[in-house]
Amino acid sequence: MNELGSRGVGIRCAGVVHLYRTFEGHDVVALQGVDLEIKAGERVAFLGPSGSGKSTLLTLLGGIQRPSAGRIFLGDDEISRMSERRLARLRSRRVSTMLQGATRNLLPHTTARLNLKFARLGMDAADRDHAMPETELLSRVGLEGQADQKVHTMSGGQRQRLALACALATSPQLLLADEPTSQLSHGDRDHVVGLIHELGEDLGTTVVVVTHQAEVATSFARTVTMKGGRVGSEGRNGSEYAVIGNEGVIHLPAHMVAEWSPGTLVRIEQEQRRIVVSHPGDEQVVAHPHPDAT
Ligand code: ADP
Ligand code: MG
Protein backbone atom coordinates (compact mmCIF):
# COMPACT_ATOMS: atom_id res chain seq x y z
CA MET A 1 0.00 0.00 0.00
CA ASN A 2 1.31 3.47 -0.75
CA GLU A 3 1.04 6.75 1.15
CA LEU A 4 -2.40 7.59 -0.25
CA GLY A 5 -3.85 4.35 1.00
CA SER A 6 -4.70 3.07 -2.47
CA ARG A 7 -3.54 -0.22 -3.86
CA GLY A 8 -4.17 -2.03 -7.08
CA VAL A 9 -6.04 -5.30 -7.23
CA GLY A 10 -5.24 -8.33 -9.38
CA ILE A 11 -7.81 -9.64 -11.88
CA ARG A 12 -8.42 -13.23 -12.92
CA CYS A 13 -10.93 -14.32 -15.56
CA ALA A 14 -11.52 -18.02 -16.18
CA GLY A 15 -13.73 -19.23 -19.04
CA VAL A 16 -15.80 -16.04 -19.07
CA VAL A 17 -18.79 -16.25 -21.41
CA HIS A 18 -21.33 -13.49 -21.97
CA LEU A 19 -24.54 -13.60 -23.96
CA TYR A 20 -26.95 -10.78 -24.74
CA ARG A 21 -30.57 -11.59 -25.39
CA THR A 22 -31.93 -9.44 -28.24
CA PHE A 23 -35.48 -8.09 -28.44
CA GLU A 24 -36.25 -10.80 -30.99
CA GLY A 25 -35.21 -13.40 -28.45
CA HIS A 26 -31.91 -14.39 -30.09
CA ASP A 27 -28.71 -14.78 -28.11
CA VAL A 28 -25.66 -12.80 -29.18
CA VAL A 29 -22.42 -14.33 -27.95
CA ALA A 30 -20.28 -11.35 -26.92
CA LEU A 31 -17.62 -13.31 -25.02
CA GLN A 32 -16.90 -16.97 -25.56
CA GLY A 33 -14.33 -18.12 -23.07
CA VAL A 34 -12.03 -15.37 -21.87
CA ASP A 35 -9.05 -16.49 -19.80
CA LEU A 36 -6.98 -13.58 -18.55
CA GLU A 37 -4.83 -12.56 -15.64
CA ILE A 38 -3.81 -9.03 -14.81
CA LYS A 39 -1.46 -8.34 -11.91
CA ALA A 40 -2.16 -5.85 -9.14
CA GLY A 41 -0.98 -2.42 -10.24
CA GLU A 42 -0.52 -3.46 -13.89
CA ARG A 43 -1.71 -1.13 -16.68
CA VAL A 44 -3.13 -2.87 -19.75
CA ALA A 45 -4.71 -1.72 -23.03
CA PHE A 46 -7.51 -3.77 -24.61
CA LEU A 47 -7.47 -3.66 -28.41
CA GLY A 48 -9.42 -5.41 -31.14
CA PRO A 49 -12.01 -4.80 -33.84
CA SER A 50 -15.45 -3.39 -33.17
CA GLY A 51 -17.75 -6.07 -31.77
CA SER A 52 -14.91 -8.23 -30.41
CA GLY A 53 -16.16 -7.91 -26.83
CA LYS A 54 -13.91 -5.22 -25.33
CA SER A 55 -16.68 -3.11 -23.79
CA THR A 56 -18.53 -6.18 -22.55
CA LEU A 57 -15.44 -7.48 -20.78
CA LEU A 58 -14.88 -4.05 -19.22
CA THR A 59 -18.43 -3.91 -17.81
CA LEU A 60 -17.99 -7.39 -16.32
CA LEU A 61 -14.70 -6.38 -14.66
CA GLY A 62 -16.42 -3.28 -13.30
CA GLY A 63 -19.28 -5.26 -11.80
CA ILE A 64 -21.82 -3.45 -14.01
CA GLN A 65 -23.02 -6.75 -15.46
CA ARG A 66 -22.46 -10.34 -14.37
CA PRO A 67 -21.10 -12.92 -16.82
CA SER A 68 -23.43 -15.60 -18.23
CA ALA A 69 -20.81 -18.22 -17.28
CA GLY A 70 -17.25 -18.42 -16.04
CA ARG A 71 -15.57 -16.80 -13.08
CA ILE A 72 -14.08 -13.36 -12.44
CA PHE A 73 -11.97 -12.57 -9.40
CA LEU A 74 -10.80 -9.20 -8.14
CA GLY A 75 -8.14 -10.19 -5.68
CA ASP A 76 -9.74 -12.96 -3.62
CA ASP A 77 -13.30 -11.81 -4.26
CA GLU A 78 -15.33 -13.58 -6.89
CA ILE A 79 -17.35 -10.75 -8.39
CA SER A 80 -19.14 -13.05 -10.84
CA ARG A 81 -21.07 -14.46 -7.85
CA MET A 82 -21.59 -11.28 -5.83
CA SER A 83 -25.06 -10.09 -4.90
CA GLU A 84 -26.36 -6.87 -6.49
CA ARG A 85 -25.84 -5.13 -3.17
CA ARG A 86 -22.21 -6.11 -2.86
CA LEU A 87 -21.62 -5.19 -6.51
CA ALA A 88 -23.04 -1.72 -5.84
CA ARG A 89 -20.61 -1.32 -2.93
CA LEU A 90 -17.77 -2.52 -5.12
CA ARG A 91 -18.63 0.06 -7.78
CA SER A 92 -18.81 2.94 -5.33
CA ARG A 93 -15.61 2.10 -3.44
CA ARG A 94 -13.20 -0.25 -5.17
CA VAL A 95 -13.68 -0.05 -8.93
CA SER A 96 -14.21 3.02 -11.12
CA THR A 97 -15.45 2.69 -14.68
CA MET A 98 -15.19 5.50 -17.19
CA LEU A 99 -17.87 4.70 -19.76
CA GLN A 100 -17.34 5.64 -23.40
CA GLY A 101 -17.99 9.40 -23.84
CA ALA A 102 -16.90 11.77 -21.04
CA THR A 103 -20.33 13.31 -20.53
CA ARG A 104 -21.85 9.96 -19.55
CA ASN A 105 -19.64 10.03 -16.46
CA LEU A 106 -20.34 13.63 -15.42
CA LEU A 107 -23.20 15.86 -14.29
CA PRO A 108 -23.13 18.49 -17.05
CA HIS A 109 -24.94 21.35 -15.29
CA THR A 110 -22.88 21.34 -12.11
CA THR A 111 -19.33 22.46 -11.37
CA ALA A 112 -16.13 20.44 -11.49
CA ARG A 113 -15.86 20.49 -7.70
CA LEU A 114 -19.44 19.27 -7.22
CA ASN A 115 -18.82 16.42 -9.65
CA LEU A 116 -15.92 15.33 -7.46
CA LYS A 117 -18.08 15.54 -4.34
CA PHE A 118 -20.77 13.42 -6.00
CA ALA A 119 -18.19 10.85 -7.07
CA ARG A 120 -17.30 10.41 -3.37
CA LEU A 121 -20.81 10.06 -1.99
CA GLY A 122 -20.62 6.29 -1.71
CA MET A 123 -17.39 6.31 0.30
CA ASP A 124 -17.10 5.76 4.04
CA ALA A 125 -16.39 9.02 5.89
CA ALA A 126 -13.06 7.65 7.12
CA ASP A 127 -11.95 6.76 3.58
CA ARG A 128 -13.07 10.17 2.34
CA ASP A 129 -10.85 11.83 4.94
CA HIS A 130 -7.86 9.88 3.66
CA ALA A 131 -8.54 10.54 -0.03
CA MET A 132 -6.76 13.25 -2.00
CA PRO A 133 -8.41 16.66 -1.36
CA GLU A 134 -10.54 18.00 -4.24
CA THR A 135 -8.30 20.99 -4.90
CA GLU A 136 -5.24 18.76 -5.16
CA LEU A 137 -7.01 16.26 -7.40
CA LEU A 138 -8.14 19.06 -9.74
CA SER A 139 -4.64 20.45 -9.90
CA ARG A 140 -3.19 17.00 -10.67
CA VAL A 141 -5.35 16.88 -13.82
CA GLY A 142 -4.61 20.51 -14.75
CA LEU A 143 -8.04 21.87 -13.77
CA GLU A 144 -7.08 24.06 -10.80
CA GLY A 145 -8.67 27.03 -12.57
CA GLN A 146 -11.90 25.16 -13.38
CA ALA A 147 -13.08 24.18 -9.87
CA ASP A 148 -16.20 26.36 -10.06
CA GLN A 149 -16.80 26.03 -13.80
CA LYS A 150 -19.84 24.12 -15.04
CA VAL A 151 -19.05 20.96 -16.96
CA HIS A 152 -21.12 21.82 -20.04
CA THR A 153 -18.96 24.90 -20.66
CA MET A 154 -15.71 22.89 -20.62
CA SER A 155 -13.77 21.61 -23.62
CA GLY A 156 -13.72 17.89 -24.48
CA GLY A 157 -10.20 17.50 -23.08
CA GLN A 158 -11.11 19.26 -19.83
CA ARG A 159 -14.20 17.07 -19.40
CA GLN A 160 -12.24 13.90 -19.93
CA ARG A 161 -9.61 15.02 -17.40
CA LEU A 162 -12.41 15.78 -14.94
CA ALA A 163 -13.96 12.37 -15.61
CA LEU A 164 -10.57 10.85 -14.79
CA ALA A 165 -10.31 12.89 -11.58
CA CYS A 166 -13.83 11.74 -10.59
CA ALA A 167 -12.95 8.12 -11.36
CA LEU A 168 -9.86 8.37 -9.14
CA ALA A 169 -11.57 10.44 -6.43
CA THR A 170 -12.52 7.28 -4.52
CA SER A 171 -8.92 5.94 -4.62
CA PRO A 172 -10.13 2.82 -6.48
CA GLN A 173 -8.14 -0.41 -6.66
CA LEU A 174 -9.10 -0.72 -10.31
CA LEU A 175 -9.67 1.93 -13.00
CA LEU A 176 -11.48 0.87 -16.17
CA ALA A 177 -11.77 3.29 -19.10
CA ASP A 178 -13.62 2.62 -22.37
CA GLU A 179 -12.12 4.62 -25.26
CA PRO A 180 -11.25 7.58 -23.01
CA THR A 181 -9.45 9.48 -25.78
CA SER A 182 -11.45 8.66 -28.91
CA GLN A 183 -13.12 12.09 -29.19
CA LEU A 184 -10.06 14.18 -28.33
CA SER A 185 -7.46 16.18 -30.28
CA HIS A 186 -3.95 14.69 -30.36
CA GLY A 187 -2.78 17.10 -27.68
CA ASP A 188 -5.68 16.31 -25.34
CA ARG A 189 -5.33 12.60 -26.07
CA ASP A 190 -1.65 12.61 -25.05
CA HIS A 191 -2.44 14.67 -21.96
CA VAL A 192 -5.16 12.25 -20.79
CA VAL A 193 -3.06 9.15 -21.51
CA GLY A 194 -0.09 10.71 -19.71
CA LEU A 195 -2.28 11.39 -16.68
CA ILE A 196 -3.68 7.85 -16.66
CA HIS A 197 -0.14 6.47 -16.48
CA GLU A 198 1.14 9.06 -14.02
CA LEU A 199 -1.77 8.86 -11.58
CA GLY A 200 -2.09 5.08 -12.01
CA GLU A 201 1.58 4.76 -11.06
CA ASP A 202 1.33 7.13 -8.08
CA LEU A 203 -1.82 5.56 -6.68
CA GLY A 204 -0.77 1.98 -7.48
CA THR A 205 -4.11 1.46 -9.25
CA THR A 206 -4.62 -1.44 -11.66
CA VAL A 207 -5.68 0.13 -14.98
CA VAL A 208 -7.46 -1.27 -18.05
CA VAL A 209 -8.03 1.06 -21.01
CA VAL A 210 -9.95 0.10 -24.15
CA THR A 211 -8.62 1.87 -27.22
CA HIS A 212 -8.49 1.61 -30.99
CA GLN A 213 -5.74 4.23 -31.25
CA ALA A 214 -2.25 2.92 -31.96
CA GLU A 215 -0.68 5.98 -30.30
CA VAL A 216 -2.49 5.11 -27.07
CA ALA A 217 -1.77 1.37 -27.29
CA THR A 218 1.99 1.87 -27.68
CA SER A 219 2.14 3.71 -24.35
CA PHE A 220 1.17 0.44 -22.58
CA ALA A 221 3.80 -2.23 -21.94
CA ARG A 222 1.05 -4.85 -22.17
CA THR A 223 -1.78 -5.06 -24.69
CA VAL A 224 -4.55 -7.65 -24.89
CA THR A 225 -6.14 -7.98 -28.33
CA MET A 226 -9.68 -9.32 -28.35
CA LYS A 227 -10.93 -11.28 -31.34
CA GLY A 228 -14.40 -12.78 -31.67
CA GLY A 229 -15.09 -12.72 -27.94
CA ARG A 230 -11.77 -14.24 -26.92
CA VAL A 231 -8.27 -13.06 -26.17
CA GLY A 232 -6.72 -13.28 -29.64
CA SER A 233 -3.17 -12.24 -28.90
CA GLU A 234 -1.10 -10.31 -26.42
CA GLY A 235 1.53 -7.65 -26.92
CA ARG A 236 4.52 -7.17 -24.66
CA ASN A 237 6.62 -4.09 -25.26
CA GLY A 238 5.51 -3.85 -28.88
CA SER A 239 5.82 -7.55 -29.90
CA GLU A 240 2.69 -9.64 -30.53
CA TYR A 241 2.42 -13.15 -29.14
CA ALA A 242 -0.08 -15.93 -29.76
CA VAL A 243 -1.99 -17.13 -26.72
CA ILE A 244 -2.27 -20.78 -25.81
CA GLY A 245 -5.70 -21.37 -24.33
CA ASN A 246 -6.85 -24.04 -21.90
CA GLU A 247 -6.52 -27.62 -23.24
CA GLY A 248 -3.76 -26.47 -25.58
CA VAL A 249 -5.98 -24.39 -27.88
CA ILE A 250 -3.84 -21.84 -29.65
CA HIS A 251 -5.13 -18.44 -30.74
CA LEU A 252 -2.95 -16.91 -33.46
CA PRO A 253 -2.60 -13.25 -34.47
CA ALA A 254 -5.09 -12.12 -37.12
CA HIS A 255 -2.51 -11.53 -39.88
CA MET A 256 -1.39 -15.17 -39.71
CA VAL A 257 -4.83 -16.72 -39.86
CA ALA A 258 -6.43 -14.28 -42.33
CA GLU A 259 -6.20 -16.77 -45.23
CA TRP A 260 -7.25 -19.84 -43.28
CA SER A 261 -10.84 -20.94 -42.97
CA PRO A 262 -12.10 -22.14 -39.57
CA GLY A 263 -11.02 -25.68 -38.87
CA THR A 264 -7.80 -25.41 -40.90
CA LEU A 265 -5.07 -27.56 -39.35
CA VAL A 266 -1.69 -26.05 -38.80
CA ARG A 267 1.53 -27.25 -37.27
CA ILE A 268 3.86 -24.80 -35.63
CA GLU A 269 7.47 -25.72 -35.04
CA GLN A 270 10.56 -23.91 -34.05
CA GLU A 271 13.53 -24.58 -36.30
CA GLN A 272 16.60 -22.93 -34.90
CA ARG A 273 16.04 -19.24 -35.48
CA ARG A 274 12.67 -19.34 -37.21
CA ILE A 275 9.11 -20.47 -36.64
CA VAL A 276 7.76 -22.80 -39.36
CA VAL A 277 4.02 -23.00 -39.91
CA SER A 278 2.79 -25.86 -42.08
CA HIS A 279 -0.49 -27.54 -43.05
CA PRO A 280 -1.00 -31.31 -43.28
CA GLY A 281 -0.23 -32.57 -46.80
CA ASP A 282 0.97 -29.13 -47.74
CA GLU A 283 4.03 -29.25 -49.98
CA GLN A 284 4.70 -25.61 -49.55
CA VAL A 285 5.96 -24.62 -46.14
CA VAL A 286 5.34 -21.06 -45.06
CA ALA A 287 8.11 -19.72 -42.90
CA HIS A 288 7.82 -16.70 -40.67
CA PRO A 289 10.98 -15.21 -39.25
CA HIS A 290 11.39 -15.79 -35.56
CA PRO A 291 10.69 -12.57 -33.65
CA ASP A 292 14.14 -12.69 -32.07
CA ALA A 293 15.99 -13.41 -35.34
CA THR A 294 18.46 -10.71 -36.27
P1 ADP B 1 -16.53 -3.91 -28.64
O1 ADP B 1 -16.52 -3.02 -27.45
O2 ADP B 1 -15.27 -4.68 -28.84
O3 ADP B 1 -16.93 -3.18 -29.89
P2 ADP B 1 -18.93 -5.10 -27.47
O4 ADP B 1 -18.56 -5.71 -26.19
O5 ADP B 1 -19.61 -3.78 -27.45
O6 ADP B 1 -17.63 -5.05 -28.41
O7 ADP B 1 -19.89 -6.10 -28.27
C1 ADP B 1 -19.60 -7.49 -28.41
C2 ADP B 1 -20.77 -8.16 -29.14
O8 ADP B 1 -21.92 -8.08 -28.32
C3 ADP B 1 -21.14 -7.49 -30.46
O9 ADP B 1 -21.59 -8.51 -31.33
C4 ADP B 1 -22.28 -6.59 -30.07
O10 ADP B 1 -23.15 -6.38 -31.16
C5 ADP B 1 -22.96 -7.39 -28.98
N1 ADP B 1 -23.63 -6.52 -27.98
C6 ADP B 1 -23.04 -5.59 -27.19
N2 ADP B 1 -23.94 -5.01 -26.37
C7 ADP B 1 -25.14 -5.60 -26.66
C8 ADP B 1 -26.48 -5.43 -26.16
N3 ADP B 1 -26.74 -4.58 -25.17
N4 ADP B 1 -27.46 -6.21 -26.71
C9 ADP B 1 -27.18 -7.09 -27.68
N5 ADP B 1 -25.95 -7.30 -28.19
C10 ADP B 1 -24.94 -6.57 -27.70
MG1 MG C 1 -16.82 -0.93 -27.33
Side-chain angles (χ1 to χ4, degrees):
M1 200 178 293
N2 65 24
E3 74 208 90
L4 289 158
S6 177
R7 171 175 54 178
V9 69
I11 301 170
R12 189 161 67 84
C13 296
V16 172
V17 171
H18 196 71
L19 310 175
Y20 290 104
R21 173 70 41 102
T22 64
F23 290 122
E24 296 83 34
H26 302 124
D27 284 336
V28 177
V29 184
L31 297 176
Q32 45 180 335
V34 172
D35 298 307
L36 181 66
E37 273 192 53
I38 294 173
K39 292 193 192 72
E42 202 173 6
R43 292 192 297 280
V44 181
F46 281 2
L47 320 177
S50 178
S52 58
K54 306 179 297 294
S55 296
T56 300
L57 185 53
L58 213 67
T59 59
L60 299 181
L61 298 179
I64 295 168
Q65 307 189 79
R66 259 182 298 219
S68 309
R71 309 181 76 180
I72 301 176
F73 293 87
L74 293 190
D76 295 329
D77 297 322
E78 183 172 0
I79 62 166
S80 41
R81 302 226 172 136
M82 272 186 188
S83 66
E84 247 342 292
R85 202 161 141 242
R86 287 192 62 205
L87 280 179
R89 275 174 64 92
L90 180 95
R91 291 192 302 263
S92 61
R93 290 155 203 223
R94 295 178 54 196
V95 180
S96 287
T97 304
M98 293 168 70
L99 299 170
Q100 203 170 346
T103 39
R104 285 175 73 190
N105 304 289
L106 297 168
L107 301 164
H109 296 285
T110 56
T111 63
R113 194 190 302 277
L114 261 178
N115 269 271
L116 282 179
K117 285 195 192 295
F118 274 119
R120 287 179 164 154
L121 278 181
M123 292 176 87
D124 293 330
D127 290 341
R128 210 176 302 152
D129 291 343
H130 283 109
M132 205 189 283
E134 278 135 35
T135 312
E136 187 182 340
L137 201 45
L138 284 172
S139 110
R140 284 301 297 266
V141 298
L143 294 175
E144 54 278 353
Q146 275 70 40
D148 299 312
Q149 191 175 334
K150 295 214 168 135
V151 169
H152 70 97
T153 66
M154 291 181 169
S155 73
Q158 288 175 329
R159 281 180 215 183
Q160 201 54 289
R161 281 182 277 135
L162 179 60
L164 178 64
C166 288
L168 293 174
T170 52
S171 307
Q173 299 173 330
L174 172 62
L175 171 69
L176 304 166
D178 199 350
E179 305 271 9
T181 58
S182 58
Q183 310 283 330
L184 304 182
S185 69
H186 291 182
D188 285 331
R189 175 195 70 203
D190 295 346
H191 192 174
V192 168
V193 171
L195 285 170
I196 289 173
H197 285 298
E198 191 185 308
L199 290 163
E201 181 77 33
D202 284 1
L203 298 166
T205 316
T206 308
V207 175
V208 177
V209 170
V210 171
T211 184
H212 62 268
Q213 295 170 304
E215 298 86 347
V216 177
T218 54
S219 73
F220 287 81
R222 180 176 176 198
T223 59
V224 170
T225 301
M226 299 291 295
K227 189 181 176 230
R230 287 201 177 88
V231 175
S233 60
E234 288 214 24
R236 300 293 164 116
N237 301 308
S239 299
E240 277 303 288
Y241 295 94
V243 175
I244 311 282
N246 284 339
E247 299 149 26
V249 179
I250 183 166
H251 305 291
L252 290 169
H255 74 272
M256 290 181 75
V257 295
E259 294 154 33
W260 303 337
S261 53
T264 301
L265 298 180
V266 293
R267 188 171 59 213
I268 297 164
E269 291 161 306
Q270 180 160 12
E271 269 183 17
Q272 289 168 353
R273 301 188 68 80
R274 57 180 203 160
I275 299 283
V276 177
V277 179
S278 56
H279 303 281
D282 195 351
E283 295 298 304
Q284 196 190 356
V285 170
V286 194
H288 295 262
H290 190 274
D292 294 335
T294 43

